[in-house]
Each structure stands twice: as C-alpha cells, then as structure tokens.
Amino acid sequence: MNAVPYQVFDASRFWMNLMSVAQALSAQQMKAVCMLWQPVLDATLGAFDKNPVSIKFDGIRSLVALSPAFRDIASRFPDSVTLQYGSGTPRNDSVSPDAGRSFSDVTFAFNAAEPWRNLEALSFVTNLHTKDHAKVAWRDLITDPLIGNKIRPLGIETVKSLPDVDLVRFWTDASDKPPVYLSAPMSGHFSTLVFNVIQNYVDAGFPVYVRDLKDAAMTPNESPFDMNAQVEADMIFLEEIFEREGRPAHAVAVCQALVPLTIASALMCEDQAPHRPETLFLASGPADISVTKSIVNRFAERTPESWFFGQELDVVPGNYPGAGKPVRSGHRQIAQFMIGNPGRHAEDISRLFDYIARGSGEFERHRPFAQKDILTALREDNIPQAEADFLRQLAFRIEYLTMADQHGASYLDAVIGNFKENGVVSGALTYRGRIPNLTAITCPVLTADAEKDDISSIGQTMGIHPHLSQTTDRRALIVPGKGHFWWAGGSAKKEQWPQIMSWQLKPAETNIPTFNPDMIRQAQITHEQNQAAEKAKLDEGKSVGMTLRIGGMDLPLGGWPTLRNAA
C-alpha cells in the first residue's frame, strides 16, 4: 500500500487551483484595461471574430497509437485539435450528455476582441476540474413530482444506516406503487449520480429506496467493505423495505452494483426469504464478462494482481476519519474514466470554454454555478436553447467530477473476483464461503445492455440469463446507439424507463423481448462491429501534420504522412 497518489493529487490540485485564481485575477485586470480601449479592439481585433485564423493539428490518434500503453484507446482520442483565434460562428448542436456526437475534431475558439474572456474561460475550466465538489444534497437534486395534475411534496429520509452505507427513502403522499430498491454505481462517484433515475421513479408514483454509499475516506477504519459486506447490506436493506412497506421491493442495480445484488438475490431466493426481490432489473453491469470483452476487462486480465495492490490502492492520510484505510482514490478513478474517453471529455471541455469565451450574457447570471441553482435554472420555461445546453452539460460535469473514494477491498473484489475470475457466474465470488446458486432466482429478471457501452460492453449484462433457471421469466433490452450512461439521459426518460416500469408492474404483459440464446450471438456480432469501427477510426485517421487556415484558405505547414502507417 502507498499514500503517494493522495499526496500527488493534493499537491497538483493546490497548484492548479492557485493557477485558476491567478487566471481569474488576470482576467479582471485585463478586462479593466480592455474596457478603456474596447472600441479600438472591436474595430481591429474584432475582425478576427468574424473571420477567424486557426492552426489545426492532425494525426493525434496516430501519435497516441505509437505508445503501447494507450494503443487500445487511441481511436477514442480526437484526431484533430484546432486552436482558433476569433470566436467565429456559435455552435448550435446539443451538448447533452447522451447526445450522439463525433469527437474526431475538437476546436478551442478564442475571443479576439475581448481577450480577457479567454482567461476567464480558462480559469473556469481549470477550477471546475481541480476543485473538490462537495456531494450535493438530495433535496437540491430531486424536485417535488407532478402526479395527478398536482405537485406532491417529496419526502426524503435516511431509514437505515450502516457504517459504510445508508438506505435513503424518497416518497410522496401519492406513491401508490410498489417500492423500488435502487443499488447505485460505486466506482468513484456518489449515489447522487443516479438522481435522474430516482426522479423518473418518483414522478411515476413509486416510493424509492436508494443504497447510498459513503465516501470511504470519511468512514472509520473498521471492517473492510468487501463483497461479503456489500451482499449483506443489500439483504439488510431489502428486509428493511419489506418490513416498512409490507411487500417486497423491485430491485434495480446499475453498473458494478449488479454483482452484489445478483448474489444477494440468489441467496434470498434459495432461502425463500419473504423479502426477496419481486423483480430484478440489471442495467449495464458485468454479469458475464466472457460474452464480450471491454477495454476494462482486457486490461484487468493481462495485468498481474500484484500491480493492482501496489499501484491502484492508496492509503487515506491521517487528517481523515478513515485514516490508514486502503482505498481506490476517487481522483484516480475519475482521471482514468476521462483517459478512457479523451475525445468526449476534450469536446465537452471545449464547448464549455467556447460558451464562456464567446461572452454569452447568461453566463454571468448563473455565478457561482452551484448545482442547485443550475438545476433550478434548467427548470425555467423560457430558457434559451444555448443556455440550457451549457447548463445541462455543466450540471452533468459537476456531478461527474464529484468524487468519492472506494473501499480497497471493494475495488479488489471487482477487479480480481469479477474482471479476472468472472465471479458472478463462475462462483469465484461467494458470501461468507457460500456459493450463490443463480438457478434459484425465481423472480422475473430484466437486463439492459447499451449498444455502445465501452465499460460493460454489450452482451455482458444479458450474459446472466443462460445461468438462470429456464423457468424464470427472462427479458433482455438493448438500448440502441447509447453508451454506458444511457440510464441518466433524457431519451431514456421518454423511451426506456417507461418500458422498464411497465415491466416491473406487469412482467408477463411487457413488450420487451424474451431472452433467447441468439441474442448473445447478436450482441457479440454488434460488439465485433463496434471494435471494427474503432479500428477503422484509427486506420482512417489523418496523417500527422499542421495546417494554417487564413481567410478560408488552408496552408499546410508540413507533416509526417508515413507516421500513421507506422502506428
């Protein structure tokens, strides 16, 4: 174990935050000077805002592919990055988190006539990605739902608390449907990441109970929150819901939370526990990683276990309640998420930069960009589309960058027990020595795989079905064109979640297809096509070079056309 990463992250964030403060102060000083000369600047440099000059760097994927460490993800880098002097034409396409966009070409546009705005944008983006974002209160994320043409006050309370995790209840006086137990992802994010899912359920009249994992660095250093503790927490919480509601809950697991909830469900069904799930919905999680292999799985398989112990675990410093505890730092987790999709993140950052540097008037009125205020503004009826896109993307990034440390034992169980040993279906993951019998699961089971998922690749979630009893009602949903976070998107609220809720209420009457083995093969074909498309992006990438664009003319500045072939 080592504490170096914590120290490195703390030191780097200190200097980055200091730099963002200096940038903000410089922007204010530059603004004061520019205001005196603004008419002159508009008449001279302002011409570049109408006819920008740019320099474009091509072939980035080819350069990245030269590194063995990044070759697998080279196709996910932007192939071109453009630095543009002059704001040019505003972007008018959506920047919502689930929008299908190309990330091949990323442009950073600088304001020519008002140069101080560039420093302000740089300061904002730097601060956004380096500051510690506090966990947002549930009350600030989820609104009172409109049910039966009436706004219903939303109740939120913690109904059960364990050392490392809480059970939080959301309900209204119109929550007349069966309870839902939602087990949220646990990979460097807080459970607030699923607030859109909770909102969908409370809007539909379901009482929702959420497994709310605590930041490992902020809990006392007691027994490890390993797979045994996670499975036990799910069983305790489902029993608590049963005692409160008088009926079992519909269980939902997203991403890695699928693993302990599936094991818990198998054990409870085998024991005929009265609080066993009414239905089980598994979304975008690694149920059977032998069906298809994501980059995450391939990396785990080829990396020795000792590396994860020595390089991926940190020790909580002495100034935290969990001092001395081995954890997977949230900073490390989010950094690796971003490295895994550099094109998407570069594009998102460039859009935030562009909106601020362009001098959009709405930017000022939303300071200091508290998550609560952003979400309130998004609920306004007449908010301009560009402003709504900016705030929607900003809200997503703030939540995405709100980090929590993961228990070291939990991380190792996921990587070694599941990503290496395929523990859910192989029996490598047990509950206190007891191997779960998946064929004992008798409740209806629904899985959802996203077509473009690069974390739990398509087919991994539905891979649970062949290991269940043939008499179990098994359904499989494919989310077309979406990635891992499909469940948080606006399109899912309109399309997939109504289907899922309808299935939960009446499983036998759903129009979701019944699972059959051909679905596995089709998922594998789709995965192969996804991989071929990624390889094609790399093979068809531009040659390394630079281009200067002036007055609509492209002037090559040289390049290395053979480097792409070498990659």
Side-chain angles (χ1 to χ4, degrees):
M1 306 292 182
N2 62 81
V4 173
Y6 246 94
Q7 297 166 1
V8 169
F9 277 122
D10 285 346
S12 64
R13 284 188 298 132
F14 170 78
W15 289 110
M16 292 290 281
N17 286 332
L18 186 63
M19 183 174 71
S20 70
V21 171
Q23 290 163 350
L25 292 174
S26 299
Q28 292 303 311
Q29 293 171 350
M30 186 183 291
K31 179 180 180 180
V33 174
C34 289
M35 293 299 285
L36 299 174
W37 297 92
Q38 197 60 56
V40 176
L41 294 173
D42 289 340
T44 54
L45 298 180
F48 289 104
D49 286 326
K50 297 178 181 178
N51 297 287
V53 174
S54 63
I55 184 167
K56 186 177 183 181
F57 301 88
D58 291 322
I60 293 173
R61 289 173 180 163
S62 298
L63 287 173
V64 173
L66 293 175
S67 167
F70 293 99
R71 190 168 295 147
D72 278 352
I73 59 172
S75 61
R76 299 182 184 182
F77 278 75
D79 204 24
S80 301
V81 172
T82 300
L83 301 180
Q84 177 178 298
Y85 184 68
S87 53
T89 305
R91 306 181 193 190
N92 56 12
D93 53 325
S94 172
V95 296
S96 62
D98 66 331
R101 311 197 305 273
S102 170
F103 309 112
S104 295
D105 301 297
V106 175
T107 299
F108 288 88
F110 297 87
N111 191 319
E114 299 175 310
W116 58 272
R117 292 191 184 277
N118 302 320
L119 272 177
E120 184 175 52
L122 184 61
S123 169
F124 175 80
V125 170
T126 301
N127 182 262
L128 176 68
H129 289 81
T130 56
K131 70 178 293 186
D132 272 329
H133 296 279
K135 180 184 178 183
V136 182
W138 287 113
R139 175 61 65 183
D140 295 337
L141 291 171
I142 302 174
T143 61
D144 296 337
L146 176 65
I147 301 176
N149 297 319
K150 181 180 178 182
I151 298 294
R152 308 284 183 168
L154 180 68
I156 304 175
E157 66 172 333
T158 299
V159 297
K160 188 82 174 179
S161 186
L162 301 177
D164 296 294
V165 62
D166 290 331
L167 180 64
V168 182
R169 177 189 178 214
F170 302 81
W171 84 101
T172 71
D173 60 1
S175 298
D176 58 348
K177 293 184 174 64
V180 170
Y181 173 59
L182 174 57
S183 191
M186 48 187 181
S187 303
H189 292 107
F190 286 102
S191 302
T192 47
L193 191 68
V194 298
F195 78 90
N196 280 328
V197 178
I198 300 169
Q199 187 75 64
N200 292 339
Y201 273 112
V202 296
D203 286 349
F206 288 86
V208 185
Y209 292 79
V210 177
R211 189 191 69 165
D212 190 11
L213 198 63
K214 301 174 185 177
D215 187 341
M218 304 306 293
T219 59
N221 189 12
E222 298 175 354
S223 59
F225 193 65
D226 57 9
M227 187 58 62
N228 288 327
Q230 294 174 57
V231 171
E232 196 161 274
D234 281 334
M235 292 193 291
I236 290 173
F237 288 163
L238 284 165
E239 185 175 15
E240 177 71 20
I241 297 170
F242 180 80
E243 291 176 356
R244 284 178 164 273
E245 300 282 342
R247 53 183 170 178
H250 295 280
V252 177
V254 178
C255 193
Q256 281 189 33
L258 170 154
V259 177
L261 185 59
T262 300
I263 295 173
S265 299
L267 297 173
M268 288 185 289
C269 287
E270 188 172 27
D271 294 341
Q272 292 294 297
H275 54 278
R276 63 188 183 275
E278 183 73 16
T279 63
L280 181 61
F281 171 49
L282 307 174
S284 297
D288 185 351
I289 63 168
S290 69
V291 175
T292 55
K293 300 290 184 182
S294 69
I295 288 178
V296 177
N297 307 136
R298 293 199 298 270
F299 177 77
E301 287 177 351
R302 69 171 180 258
T303 305
E305 293 182 14
S306 58
W307 187 88
F308 293 103
F309 282 92
Q311 300 297 320
E312 289 292 284
L313 292 186
D314 315 315
V315 173
V316 178
N319 56 329
Y320 292 85
K325 180 189 300 184
V327 297
R328 183 44 163 19
S329 165
H331 298 289
R332 179 193 294 276
Q333 183 75 30
I334 303 306
Q336 291 187 357
F337 274 148
M338 293 180 69
I339 290 172
N341 265 305
R344 169 183 284 274
H345 290 285
E347 173 77 357
D348 289 348
I349 291 169
S350 76
R351 288 170 179 272
L352 294 175
F353 182 96
D354 181 77
Y355 189 89
I356 299 166
R358 190 176 297 280
S360 303
E362 302 89 350
F363 173 75
E364 298 293 337
R365 79 181 182 95
H366 293 296
R367 289 180 181 276
F369 301 103
Q371 185 79 314
K372 175 183 179 181
D373 298 331
I374 293 171
L375 294 172
T376 299
L378 279 170
R379 295 174 189 124
E380 296 177 7
D381 291 334
N382 299 318
I383 185 170
Q385 185 62 46
E387 182 181 356
D389 284 343
F390 167 74
L391 292 177
R392 191 176 296 111
Q393 184 61 39
L394 180 56
F396 179 80
R397 290 205 74 76
I398 291 175
E399 186 59 48
Y400 188 86
L401 295 167
T402 302
M403 295 168 280
D405 291 344
Q406 183 181 1
H407 290 266
S410 170
Y411 172 73
L412 291 175
D413 278 340
V415 171
I416 298 172
N418 205 47
F419 293 153
K420 275 185 170 293
E421 301 176 351
N422 205 15
V424 175
V425 298
S426 71
L429 289 174
T430 65
Y431 173 67
R432 307 202 185 283
R434 182 180 172 187
I435 298 176
N437 177 14
L438 298 182
T439 61
I441 297 177
T442 53
C443 65
V445 178
L446 168 65
T447 58
D449 292 78
E451 182 183 8
K452 303 294 185 181
D453 196 330
D454 56 353
I455 297 176
S456 294
S457 49
I458 182 172
Q460 288 191 0
T461 311
M462 73 167 67
I464 194 72
H465 288 306
H467 303 277
L468 303 176
S469 169
Q470 301 298 305
T471 60
T472 299
D473 185 354
R474 301 169 295 165
R475 308 279 176 158
L477 180 67
I478 300 295
V479 183
K482 299 298 181 182
H484 187 71
F485 291 98
W486 67 268
W487 38 267
S491 59
K493 178 181 178 68
K494 300 175 183 177
E495 298 170 17
Q496 282 79 36
W497 283 110
Q499 275 187 294
I500 294 162
M501 294 175 195
S502 176
W503 167 82
Q504 287 169 322
L505 293 175
K506 295 181 179 180
E509 299 178 16
T510 183
N511 58 2
I512 298 174
T514 299
F515 170 78
N516 68 76
D518 289 341
M519 290 180 170
I520 293 286
R521 181 55 192 150
Q522 186 56 53
Q524 292 170 332
I525 292 172
T526 301
H527 180 62
E528 291 165 3
Q529 292 171 341
N530 290 341
Q531 290 185 307
E534 290 292 309
K535 185 177 185 300
K537 283 164 60 177
L538 189 58
D539 293 341
E540 298 167 5
K542 300 180 179 72
S543 298
V544 177
M546 293 185 294
T547 304
L548 179 66
R549 186 177 181 84
I550 302 177
M553 296 179 59
D554 290 339
L555 306 175
L557 299 179
W560 302 268
T562 60
L563 191 56
R564 176 167 64 86
N565 298 328

